Amino acid sequence: MIEFSDVSYVYGKHTPFERVAVNNISFKIEDGLVTGIIGHTGSGKSTVAQMMNALIAPTSGKVLLNGADINSSRTESYKTRFKVGLVFQYPEYQLFEETVEKDIAYGPSNMGLDDNGIKERVEMAAEFVGLSKQVLKSSPFELSGGQKRRVAIAGVIAMQPEVLVLDEPAAGLDPRGRSEILGRLTKYRKTSGTSLVLISHSMEDVAEYSDRIIAMNDGRILCSGTPAQVFSHHEELKNSGLALPQITNIMLKVKEKCEKQGINTDFLDSSVFTVEDAYNALLPILRTSDGKGDSYVK
Amino acid sequence: MLNDITLGQFFPGNSLLHKLDPRAKIIFTILYIVIIFSAKNPFSLAVAAILAVSLTALSRINIKTILKSMKPILFIMVFTAVMNIFWTPGENVLFSFGKITVYYEGVRFAVMMVIRLVLLITGTFVILTYTTSPVALTDAIERLTSPLSKIGVPTHEFAMMMSIALRFIPTLIDETDKIICAQKARGADFETGSLLKRAKALIPILIPLFISSFRRADELASAMECRLYHGGNGRTRMKVLKLSARDYMTSLAFAATLALIIFLNTRFEAIL
């Protein structure tokens, strides 16, 4: 479990360029769950990501992993990097080896594993992200953008971290690439039991895959909790420049229209954020408007 | 991590020095260096110091910033001072310690040498690097060297390459920082181990950096061609450089200082 307690981070302290990126925040990342961190550009979410594995130490406050301060010593920070795997934004630019296989092996070999252990982990990680044996032997620079992204993610998964933190894992991918990567990651989470932290500005992605959501704005936490709890704060989210999931927007519009017509909207829950929820919310009304409601929805 | 680089940084502003023509500023810088090196006695050095102080005041650059930029050359200053104190022969012994004898002349020489170095750095930085944007600077270099293009030197191309290189320095620093972090997240260790091990640890940084630089260069070239860039021939400028009254006045000030220093040199004994 990762715990942030009263953490602040200031860039360029004591210079004219001083900027507070994270302002006194506290939260917990619970084990075995998918936690989504949302916020628009400059809200401090990437800084939070880098503090999770001690790449940067907070200016004030503490970051605890399983109760221990990860910034207490250099060795502690170094060890944390293997326990909390961090996949950066556009991670494909970190690839450097001759073959995909060697590149994925970079992390595990830094852990000091023997050749067999490394091989096992590389194969495991490649399978999770869906890279074929043939791809493993090729140069990472010959691959497509989406494949490179998967190689980079595999490079971190191969270290088998307790917590996997991904900064915008789906940025710049086409819709199919997006759902493929996010789908594989949640599948990986289910099989391995690793906690997942998804950092994104896309409400859709976070809403669909997260168990818990932390919404950030201007270096502070705007609201947090289950997706339903967070999306019920739709006014605040909108004011801080975060777009709601499209389906939530549709439901809010429907509710508004109904209210204008004087229709009772108690049955419409405004915190609907997946198509599944929308279906369940709309089902009763279709049934009541027409005796054979079932023919409208399958 | 790599954000402590102040040497050669431009600070936008609206002072007299910011407004001078960049071509004139290059010439002033050369003139300033000549002034500093022709000051050979304490009096002429004092005149040069007055020039440096007034330039600094005119630039409105924070004195702390200037002091900070001295840091990298602090070692050189201390080294020169020590060398000169102990190895300058003279007549008036200040004190001697075993085989080492320190002369009054040596100390005098060292002090002046350090002052000269400080003035040199402050002045050139204030006139050129701190108050001239890189774009203006390369523009000025292109114009100043343009006579060379008559004999076939590709001055425009050189200037263009220089401005592109300057433009990409911050980008590359950012990129390096990101790659270092990404590899650190995969357990890279740059701080421990033998020299060979540390050198090897740089490979995962350098390769991605090279690759992205090539990619960037390629993209930039395409983008420039899309906008019909085809070299310097027949290219007009949006901002045409023009000398104004303040450039002429400043040159007068520089010329007067140089004349005064030469005069003082003839009156007093040379020390440096």
Side-chain angles (χ1 to χ4, degrees):
Chain A
M1 185 175 76
I2 301 180
E3 189 179 350
F4 274 52
S5 89
D6 302 321
V7 169
S8 296
Y9 191 83
V10 186
Y11 280 104
K13 206 168 187 182
H14 306 308
T15 70
F17 311 105
E18 184 171 309
R19 194 172 64 80
V20 180
V22 173
N23 197 346
N24 203 22
I25 62 169
S26 304
F27 63 83
K28 283 176 189 165
I29 304 284
E30 283 163 61
D31 284 338
L33 295 183
V34 181
T35 308
I37 300 183
I38 43 169
H40 62 89
T41 321
S43 60
K45 53 192 196 309
S46 293
T47 310
V48 166
Q50 290 181 47
M51 283 194 280
M52 283 186 184
N53 72 345
L55 275 178
I56 52 178
T59 320
S60 68
K62 270 183 182 163
V63 183
L64 309 170
L65 176 66
N66 302 328
D69 185 357
I70 61 171
N71 295 299
S72 59
S73 71
R74 190 181 274 186
T75 40
E76 194 65 38
S77 303
Y78 188 68
K79 272 194 238 154
T80 306
R81 310 240 164 94
F82 300 117
K83 290 182 196 154
V84 181
L86 174 60
V87 179
F88 273 81
Q89 208 168 345
Y90 298 107
E92 50 273 32
Y93 297 132
Q94 74 192 27
L95 304 178
F96 69 99
E97 276 286 8
E98 296 157 62
T99 65
V100 170
E101 195 172 13
K102 281 191 192 169
D103 206 285
I104 299 176
Y106 180 65
S109 63
N110 280 331
M111 297 171 84
L113 296 173
D114 59 22
D115 285 354
N116 280 332
I118 292 174
K119 202 163 175 262
E120 203 176 283
R121 285 184 176 218
V122 169
E123 277 168 8
M124 178 279 296
E127 204 186 308
F128 270 123
V129 297
L131 293 168
S132 67
K133 284 250 158 68
Q134 198 189 342
V135 173
L136 280 181
K137 299 282 175 213
S138 57
S139 159
F141 304 110
E142 292 165 355
L143 305 178
S144 72
Q147 277 178 315
K148 277 187 197 169
R149 178 82 48 100
R150 282 193 257 163
V151 173
I153 293 175
V156 177
I157 287 183
M159 302 197 300
Q160 294 183 351
E162 290 169 30
V163 184
L164 183 61
V165 184
L166 300 114
D167 193 355
E168 299 281 5
L173 294 181
D174 55 37
R176 189 200 268 175
R178 282 178 98 82
S179 52
E180 160 130 37
I181 284 218
L182 293 170
R184 283 189 182 277
L185 284 170
T186 34
K187 209 180 115 201
Y188 166 71
R189 203 260 314 183
K190 269 182 202 137
T191 20
S192 65
T194 313
S195 323
L196 220 56
V197 180
L198 278 181
I199 296 170
S200 176
H201 66 268
S202 158
M203 278 287 185
E204 242 84 37
D205 295 347
V206 170
E208 195 173 340
Y209 298 101
S210 306
D211 304 312
R212 294 278 182 278
I213 290 179
I214 298 167
M216 288 188 66
N217 185 35
D218 266 343
R220 292 171 194 275
I221 291 176
L222 194 68
C223 48
S224 63
T226 62
Q229 286 167 339
V230 169
F231 289 122
S232 63
H233 295 262
H234 41 86
E235 284 302 319
E236 283 114 299
L237 291 175
K238 263 188 192 160
N239 289 341
S240 74
L242 285 167
L244 291 172
Q246 283 172 11
I247 195 79
T248 314
N249 270 330
I250 292 172
M251 295 305 280
L252 285 171
K253 284 263 156 70
V254 168
K255 195 171 175 166
E256 202 179 292
K257 274 264 158 74
C258 286
E259 270 161 8
K260 263 187 196 158
Q261 305 258 326
I263 300 172
N264 182 7
T265 55
D266 290 345
F267 58 89
L268 273 180
D269 190 355
S270 60
S271 63
V272 165
F273 48 87
T274 60
V275 178
E276 187 75 30
D277 292 340
Y279 170 85
N280 290 332
L282 290 172
L283 201 56
I285 153 177
L286 289 170
R287 282 216 168 106
T288 49
S289 62
D290 176 334
K292 312 174 281 189
D294 281 329
S295 61
Y296 285 84
V297 275
K298 276 262 156 78
Chain B
M1 197 176 296
L2 294 169
N3 48 15
D4 289 331
I5 302 167
T6 38
L7 198 91
Q9 198 179 20
F10 168 58
F11 292 96
N14 213 8
S15 72
L16 173 73
L17 281 182
H18 283 91
K19 283 185 203 150
L20 288 177
D21 186 305
R23 288 171 299 173
K25 281 205 269 189
I26 292 179
I27 292 166
F28 290 154
T29 311
I30 297 168
L31 214 58
Y32 179 82
I33 296 170
V34 171
I35 286 173
I36 295 293
F37 280 98
S38 28
K40 291 195 186 306
N41 59 54
F43 299 99
S44 43
L45 201 62
V47 173
I50 292 170
L51 177 69
V53 169
S54 17
L55 286 172
T56 312
L58 281 173
S59 73
R60 300 207 196 119
I61 299 280
N62 195 332
I63 192 80
K64 268 189 197 156
T65 320
I66 293 167
L67 289 178
K68 217 175 147 192
S69 63
M70 298 279 178
K71 248 194 218 161
I73 58 150
L74 196 67
F75 171 75
I76 301 174
M77 285 202 276
V78 172
F79 186 73
T80 341
V82 170
M83 290 296 273
N84 282 310
I85 286 173
F86 293 111
W87 274 278
T88 312
E91 282 154 13
N92 306 312
V93 176
L94 217 54
F95 61 86
S96 55
F97 188 78
K99 269 188 182 174
I100 302 160
T101 315
V102 173
Y103 297 96
Y104 166 68
E105 283 83 359
V107 174
R108 196 175 60 174
F109 189 85
V111 168
M112 292 209 20
M113 201 67 181
V114 169
I115 293 177
R116 187 185 253 183
L117 273 175
V118 169
L119 292 183
L120 195 68
I121 299 291
T122 322
T124 47
F125 272 38
V126 163
I127 303 172
L128 215 57
T129 36
Y130 283 167
T131 57
T132 320
S133 76
V135 178
L137 198 63
T138 46
D139 213 12
I141 291 171
E142 183 182 350
R143 296 300 301 276
L144 283 175
T145 54
S146 61
L148 290 175
S149 64
K150 297 235 161 52
I151 55 164
V153 181
T155 49
H156 168 78
E157 280 71 15
F158 277 136
M160 183 55 92
M161 285 195 299
M162 226 170 98
S163 49
I164 290 173
L166 286 170
R167 151 73 184 77
F168 277 102
I169 288 174
T171 316
L172 278 179
I173 291 177
D174 270 4
E175 183 114 358
T176 316
D177 223 13
K178 255 189 222 154
I179 296 170
I180 289 177
C181 278
Q183 306 300 23
K184 264 187 167 176
R186 294 210 278 165
D189 181 9
F190 310 110
E191 277 135 15
T192 58
S194 65
L195 203 62
L196 186 72
K197 201 187 147 223
R198 278 193 232 187
K200 267 191 180 163
L202 289 178
I203 295 173
I205 295 168
L206 293 178
I207 291 178
L209 199 59
F210 272 124
I211 286 169
S212 75
S213 305
F214 281 119
R215 185 178 45 83
R216 232 185 264 287
D218 207 30
E219 281 169 5
L220 184 69
S222 309
M224 283 168 82
E225 278 184 344
C226 284
R227 297 207 257 166
L228 301 181
Y229 176 80
H230 55 84
N233 279 346
R235 202 171 147 82
T236 55
R237 311 186 157 273
M238 192 166 89
K239 281 183 192 152
V240 179
L241 293 175
K242 228 178 142 196
L243 290 174
S244 65
R246 56 173 94 87
D247 298 305
Y248 295 118
M249 294 310 285
T250 318
S251 11
L252 217 62
F254 270 86
T257 317
L258 186 59
L260 185 60
I261 282 174
I262 292 168
F263 171 73
L264 287 171
N265 278 345
T266 58
R267 282 308 174 89
F268 299 97
E269 179 204 0
I271 293 168
L272 273 172

